[in-house]
Amino acid sequence: MEASVWRDGAVHDIKITTQAPLYIAPRHDGWDCNPSYFICGGLVFVPLTAPWAKAKKLGSLLDRYRGMIKTDGQQVVMLSKILAHDANFGYHHIGSHVLQSFNGTVRPLSLCVHDKPWRLAGTLFHH
């Protein structure tokens, strides 16, 4: 953006670079977050976003993860749902949990598809 400012008795044209704030839990669909998910073995993972948390009635989760991103790639990953299947019988009622680690680490969803443990038949990633 360009602007003119009055400084030291003269007009100066300056360029201003703006950037939307990057929140740990993005707040607005289509603005700072878009629906994305990762399915592996019937487990549905999503990034924590305000629209998702509000739809799941988990507003208190947003209080815990409010604030700005401090490190590049920082993202809270949620286990949104476990799809019912013989392979995970008895666990399909579990969902809406913060993923603490998977195989020892947690990575942003966009990087999970590049990790070898995730490269399984039936894996689906949408971003």
Side-chain angles (χ1 to χ4, degrees):
M1 172 168 56
E2 294 183 13
S4 296
V5 297
W6 184 268
R7 184 176 295 154
D8 297 326
V11 174
H12 299 275
D13 293 324
I14 61 171
K15 289 187 178 184
I16 302 171
T17 303
T18 61
Q19 180 179 353
L22 300 174
Y23 295 101
I24 293 172
R27 297 177 176 191
H28 304 286
D29 272 336
W31 177 255
D32 63 348
C33 64
N34 291 304
S36 62
Y37 56 87
F38 179 69
I39 301 174
C40 179
L43 283 70
V44 181
F45 299 99
V46 299
L48 174 63
T49 64
W52 179 87
K54 289 175 184 174
K56 294 284 192 173
K57 297 182 175 40
L58 297 170
S60 62
L61 198 57
L62 296 175
D63 293 336
R64 183 174 173 199
Y65 293 103
R66 67 176 163 212
M68 309 296 281
I69 290 176
K70 294 182 177 127
T71 59
D72 194 32
Q74 184 179 5
Q75 184 181 59
V76 177
V77 178
M78 303 294 300
L79 172 61
S80 178
K81 183 171 182 68
I82 299 177
L83 303 174
H85 188 272
D86 291 343
N88 52 34
F89 182 76
Y91 293 96
H92 63 275
H93 65 284
I94 296 174
S96 302
H97 291 281
V98 175
L99 184 65
Q100 298 298 320
S101 68
F102 186 84
N103 287 341
T105 62
V106 173
R107 297 177 56 132
L109 289 182
S110 60
L111 298 178
C112 288
V113 294
H114 303 293
D115 291 346
K116 289 182 182 179
W118 295 102
R119 291 186 182 172
L120 303 170
T123 300
L124 174 66
F125 176 74
H126 170 74
H127 180 72

